[in-house]
């Protein structure tokens, strides 16, 4: 791993050898380097899970919160300081399962934050239960007869819920993934990047090899601004899973839509005195 | 003088507007006003009523006995006619069957139609009320024009004048003594206190009776520079506020019991990440959905330990709207000083009653952020979010403001850097650091209000919004019989529980009586836990309706006097 990176953290990485998270982490640092970000300008938020340990492994501001609640603190922090580059790194269970409601509504908000979902299609930290993206028929210690729930399609969900940047990457496609991360971070608005990240211990079906064989890169000619095509692409699976930016849209961000945030310095820089309340007392006189 | 007027009807009949115009008129003419609402969880129909009490001396409570009833429907007659004082009257439209010699029928609806709009019947009543009490009309007519500016203003003024012509003046009031007072309810005061304290973000999910905090902040959001976000649920609301506080602003959330239940995991998050947070819990009777629009003080035991695991916290109950303003501002300072969550406990009674209070004195409020601006951190000596210090308080840096330095907050047990640890030794140090803050906080806690006798034989203990009704009850009992040795301690700060005054008064008291709006006597349990003192009597009410002074007087006579 790149120890000379200014984003290098001295904390010991607790992931299993061979886990896809290692590559993801180094690609994330590379993307931040290439964007010339500085550690104090970046905030990494997460919930709980293997993926959610990421804030510890990046030398940047970090908020490692509760399982399923990665997005709300990220939202609060960005509202407080619109100058921060806020990135969420969390798992598929955390983001799509326990935190599903926040996912939906923050896509609608379109705050300028970036969401990297480490999608290993399994619950890693809790030892191998089905996640919302685990495919039907996949057997686990709980789903002994195979998953019967229809898998959640995060990209289709995002496209229909108002996410303004929807993409998928794979840790095995390093160069593409660096670019996708950079695009997601620089995108104005809520950006969802679902990243295939093999869990070598608990997902014996969707292995590195499996992802290699089942994914393909979207061609250069692909137009990500067409919602209908994007939706169609989001449903591609059996005949190959597309990697790349599926959908992109220009829409006012939350910050741009809320006058209090749009105008003036970040909230955190505003000087406030108790007498700001005085004009409002008149309403009660 | 002390009058109590009830306006009753069903939801959607315009009772709120009538009451609001009447209470504002009284306020403008310098009277002390106390308005108590009793409403059902529905938008149309049902039976609701509003009691407007007014006086030339300060009022701290609603009361039972009525001097005048304005009945907009038959149910109001049935429900409230029996509550009239001997010399009281009930006013109603002539179409409602007259069933008592205390009832006076007027051509209300007819007058409204003649004024040009049948819906102006509330303005007819308003004219009638003003004339009844001999109040001047100009101010109220101006209010009418403003209120109905887009709904037949002229017809409403005409109706108002017609109403005034229906009666002679019946009561001669002394002139109102007040000038420059606010007419405000508990939730509005919380919102204004938060604004004074520098809040710039409020995230919440609507839940009666807490929603009007959000409404009040929203009404001022653009002018005051506040982002008010309606979250997708209470989990989001509290986690958003925590993230915002982490990033260096003052953020707050508010809810009622059900929403607070959902927030408990994140309350622990604020505790372990040592992120300041102010949460208002405006209680209503639970469990589950309970009584959405009614009152109770049944979340105290829950709040004291809400969240799994152990965290330091501060619990402040609010006793009236005036103190709701100042205590909310204080909550932000305490929360940032000790980097702990502060829970403000209110309830539906306090949230919704409106009272005249002296204009808030903003010079009494300070904004003490307790943020570090230490720029001496370096690569060799980097900032540590959870640095162990002598008093357990680690310097707080605002993330993003110090090049080269980063701030890492963690919900796992963590080391001084904020990194996950499983070390037993670090765990012990961090638990001592966090929980140790409570010792310092104890010194900040305010002793309860002391009402009545300086060294009472009968010592009453209570907390929160009962303060008003209890004060009035004690005053009445002592006026009735000066030899009664009766006094009360009404707690505002509840955790850590301030116990000095209590233990000192308990030494001389012959009996300690606990009064609460719940089933289990939660304050008595807390007192016993913290002091070993036993309350030998509990006066408890859990029907969702706030105790009146009359109720307390009656029960004290039955049980202890
Ligand atoms: C409220 C709550 N429920 C359950 C858990 C246990 N838990 C921790 S991580 C996790 C699932 C993690 O799966 P995922 O988000 O996919 O992350 P991964 O470990 O696969 O990276 C669960 C169920 C928890 N910490 N908190
Ligand atoms: S359990 Fe799976 S996801 Fe977790 S560290 Fe090991 S390989 Fe990675
Ligand atoms: Mg996972």
């Amino acid at each position: 791993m790149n120890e000379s990176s200014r984003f290098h953290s001295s904390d010991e990485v607790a992931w299993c050898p061979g886990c896809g998270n290692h590559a993801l982490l180094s690609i994330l640092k590379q993307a931040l380097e290439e964007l010339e970000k500085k550690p104090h300008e970046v905030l990494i938020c997460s919930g709980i899970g293997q993926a959610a340990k990421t804030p510890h492994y990046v030398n940047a501001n970090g908020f490692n919160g509760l399982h399923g609640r990665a997005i709300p603190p990220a939202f609060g922090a960005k509202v407080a300081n619109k100058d921060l580059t806020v990135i969420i790194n969390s798992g598929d269970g955390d983001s799509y399962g326990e935190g599903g409601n926040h996912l939906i509504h923050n896509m609608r908000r379109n705050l300028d934050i970036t969401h990297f979902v480490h999608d290993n299609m399994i619950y890693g930290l809790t030892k191998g239960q089905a996640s919302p993206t685990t495919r039907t028929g996949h057997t686990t210690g709980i789903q002994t007869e195979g998953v019967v729930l229809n898998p959640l399609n995060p990209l289709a969900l995002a496209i229909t819920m108002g996410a303004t940047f929807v993409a998928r990457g794979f840790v095995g496609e390093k160069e593409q993934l660096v670019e996708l991360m950079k695009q997601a971070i620089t995108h104005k608005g809520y950006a969802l990047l679902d990243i295939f990240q093999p869990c070598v211990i608990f997902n014996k079906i969707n292995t590195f090899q499996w992802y290699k064989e089942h994914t393909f890169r979207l061609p250069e000619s692909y137009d990500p601004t067409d919602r209908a095509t994007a939706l169609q692409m989001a449903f591609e699976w059996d005949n190959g899973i597309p990697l790349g930016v599926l959908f992109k849209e220009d829409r006012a961000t939350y910050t741009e839509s809320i006058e209090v945030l749009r105008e003036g310095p970040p909230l955190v820089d505003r000087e406030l005195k108790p007498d700001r309340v005085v004009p409002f007392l008149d309403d009660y006189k | 003088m002390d009058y109590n007027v009830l306006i009753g009807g069903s939801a959607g009949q315009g009772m709120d507007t009538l009451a609001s115009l009447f209470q504002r008129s009284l306020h403008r003419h310098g009277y002390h006003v106390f308005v108590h609402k009793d409403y059902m969880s529905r938008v149309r129909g049902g039976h609701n009523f509003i009691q407007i009490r007014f006086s030339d001396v300060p009022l701290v409570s609603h009361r039972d006995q009525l001097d005048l009833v304005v009945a907009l429907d038959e149910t109001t007659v049935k429900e409230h006619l029996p509550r009239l004082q001997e010399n009281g009257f009930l006013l109603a439209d002539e179409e409602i069957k007259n069933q008592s010699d205390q009832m006076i029928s007027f051509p209300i609806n007819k007058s409204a139609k003649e004024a040009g709009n049948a819906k102006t019947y509330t303005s007819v009543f308003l004219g009638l009320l003003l004339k009844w009490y001999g109040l001047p009309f100009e101010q109220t007519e101006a209010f009418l024009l403003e209120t109905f500016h887009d709904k037949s203003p002229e017809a409403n003024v005409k109706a108002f004048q017609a109403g005034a012509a229906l009666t002679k003046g019946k009561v001669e009031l002394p002139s109102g003594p007040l000038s420059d007072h606010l007419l405000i309810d508990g939730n509005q005061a919380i919102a204004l206190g938060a604004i004074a304290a520098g809040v710039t973000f409020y995230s919440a999910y609507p839940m009666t009776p807490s929603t009007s905090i959000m409404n009040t902040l929203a009404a001022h959001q653009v002018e005051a520079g506040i982002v008010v976000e309606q979250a997708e649920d209470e989990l989001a609301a509290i986690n958003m506020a925590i993230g915002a506080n982490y990033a260096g602003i003052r953020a707050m959330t508010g809810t009622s019991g059900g929403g607070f239940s959902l927030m408990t995991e994140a309350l622990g998050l604020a505790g372990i990440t040592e992120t300041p947070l102010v949460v208002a819990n405006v209680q209503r009777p639970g469990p589950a959905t309970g009584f959405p629009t009614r009152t109770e003080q049944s979340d105290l035991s829950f709040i004291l330990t809400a969240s799994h695991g152990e965290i330091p916290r501060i619990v402040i109950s609010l006793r009236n709207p005036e103190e709701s303003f100042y205590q909310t501002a204080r909550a932000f300072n305490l929360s940032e000083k000790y980097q702990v969550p502060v829970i403000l406990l209110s309830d539906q009674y306090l949230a919704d009653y409106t009272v005249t209070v002296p204009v808030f004195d903003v010079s009494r409020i300070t904004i003490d952020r307790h943020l570090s601006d230490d720029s001496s951190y370096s690569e060799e000596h980097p900032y540590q979010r959870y640095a162990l210090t002598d008093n357990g308080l680690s310097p707080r840096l605002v993330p993003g403001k110090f090049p080269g330095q980063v701030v890492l907050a963690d919900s796992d047990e963590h080391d001084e850097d904020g990194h996950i640890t499983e070390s037993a030794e670090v765990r012990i140090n961090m638990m001592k650091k966090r929980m140790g803050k409570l010792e310092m906080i104890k010194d900040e806690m305010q002793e309860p209000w002391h009402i009545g006798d300086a060294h009472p034989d009968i010592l009453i203990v209570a907390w929160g919004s009962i303060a008003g009704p209890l004060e009035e009850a004690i005053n009445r009992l002592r006026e009735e019989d000066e030899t009664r040795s009766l006094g009360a301690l009404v707690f505002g700060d509840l955790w850590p529980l301030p116990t000095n005054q209590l233990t000192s008064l308990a030494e001389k008291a012959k009996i300690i009586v606990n009064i609460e709006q719940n089933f289990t006597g939660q304050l008595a349990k807390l007192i016993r836990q913290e002091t070993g003192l036993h309350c030998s009597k509990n006066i408890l009410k859990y029907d969702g309706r706030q105790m009146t002074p009359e109720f307390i007087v009656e029960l004290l006579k039955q049980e202890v006097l």
Side-chain angles (χ1 to χ4, degrees), chain B residues 130-145:
Chain B
L130 255 79
K131 180 72 163 297
W132 187 278
Y133 286 107
L135 292 162
F137 298 157
E138 300 79 43
Q139 183 64 66
T140 310
E141 286 183 1
F143 287 153
L144 272 172
L145 290 173

Side-chain angles (χ1 to χ4, degrees), chain B residues 189-484:
Chain B
I190 290 175
L192 294 178
I195 295 177
V199 80
T200 48
F201 181 57
Y202 186 83
S203 45
Y205 187 81
M207 187 168 188
T208 306
S210 67
T211 314
S212 57
I213 300 174
M214 180 158 52
N215 286 335
T216 307
L217 288 167
H220 306 310
Q221 59 185 332
V222 176
E223 239 182 302
I226 303 168
V227 175
V228 177
E229 181 62 11
Q230 183 179 324
E232 54 272 24
D233 52 35
E234 288 84 352
L235 307 166
I238 187 168
N239 279 285
M240 284 174 173
I242 291 172
N245 278 312
Y246 157 80
I249 61 167
R250 284 190 159 183
M252 176 178 174
T253 182
T255 183
S256 187
F260 196 87
S261 293
L262 291 179
M263 289 184 177
T264 53
E265 190 190 20
L267 197 70
L269 176 68
I272 194 168
T273 58
E274 305 195 47
T275 308
L277 176 70
V278 177
V279 189
N281 176 10
V282 186
Q283 301 164 96
R284 70 192 215 189
T289 310
F291 258 163
T293 62
R294 309 215 168 262
T295 203
E296 202 160 86
Q297 298 183 293
S298 49
D299 292 352
L300 173 59
S301 297
F302 165 52
I303 289 261
L304 290 171
T305 55
S307 157
H308 56 289
E310 294 159 308
I311 57 163
R313 78 191 74 207
I314 297 173
V315 181
I316 301 173
S317 72
L318 304 173
R319 289 167 290 200
N320 63 37
E322 187 176 11
E323 109 157 335
S324 298
F325 175 79
Y326 297 106
Q327 292 293 7
T328 301
R330 171 173 171 250
F332 279 94
N333 286 345
L334 286 173
S335 173
E336 289 211 306
K337 183 168 181 187
Y338 296 104
Q339 304 176 22
V340 295
V342 180
I343 301 147
L344 293 169
L345 262 182
S346 180
D347 54 46
Q348 182 270 329
Y349 175 66
L350 172 53
D352 290 336
Y353 82 67
T354 307
V355 68
T356 35
V357 300
V359 176
F360 299 140
D361 178 2
V362 176
S363 72
R364 279 174 55 192
I365 291 180
T366 56
I367 298 180
D368 310 321
R369 300 294 315 269
H370 304 282
L371 290 168
S372 169
D373 54 5
D374 189 346
S375 51
S376 68
Y377 297 107
S378 62
E379 215 167 309
E380 295 73 47
H381 299 286
Y383 171 72
Q384 294 180 298
R385 175 65 192 92
Y386 303 108
L388 292 170
T389 60
D390 289 343
N391 65 5
L393 298 174
S394 315
R396 231 180 110 219
L397 282 192
V398 171
K401 294 293 165 196
F402 298 83
Q405 300 306 321
V406 296
V407 183
L408 176 61
D410 186 13
S411 76
D412 294 84
E413 189 56 275
H414 42 250
D415 59 20
E416 290 177 84
D417 292 320
H419 288 309
I420 301 174
T421 182
E422 304 217 9
S423 151
E425 189 192 338
V426 175
R427 165 72 175 177
I428 291 168
N429 287 339
M430 287 295 161
M431 282 301 288
K432 282 185 174 163
K433 162 184 166 44
R434 290 191 295 266
M435 299 308 288
K437 294 191 262 187
L438 280 170
E439 279 311 308
M440 287 181 284
I441 295 169
K442 267 185 191 157
D443 293 334
E444 301 250 11
M445 292 295 98
Q446 299 172 350
E447 291 289 328
W449 284 347
H450 184 170
I451 300 166
D453 210 336
H455 299 283
D457 288 342
I458 301 167
L459 174 60
I460 296 165
V461 291
W463 62 279
S465 69
I466 284 188
L470 180 59
E471 181 183 344
E472 184 164 334
I474 289 178
N475 290 343
R476 285 191 194 193
L477 285 166
R478 291 175 83 222
E479 273 162 31
E480 229 175 70
D481 180 352
E482 281 175 16
T483 65
R484 280 178 179 147

Side-chain angles (χ1 to χ4, degrees), chain B residues 91-108:
Chain B
L91 319 179
D93 183 71
E94 59 196 357
E95 284 156 31
I96 299 180
K97 189 176 157 268
N98 196 316
Q99 33 207 289
S100 152
D101 50 10
Q102 282 184 287
M103 181 165 168
I104 313 178
S105 302
F106 292 97
I108 302 287

Side-chain angles (χ1 to χ4, degrees), chain A residues 15-16 19 21 50 120 124 197 199-202:
Chain A
W15 290 320
C16 311
C19 173
N21 279 323
Q50 298 286 26
N120 52 14
Q197 165 255 315
C199 166
V200 294
I201 307 290
F202 295 113

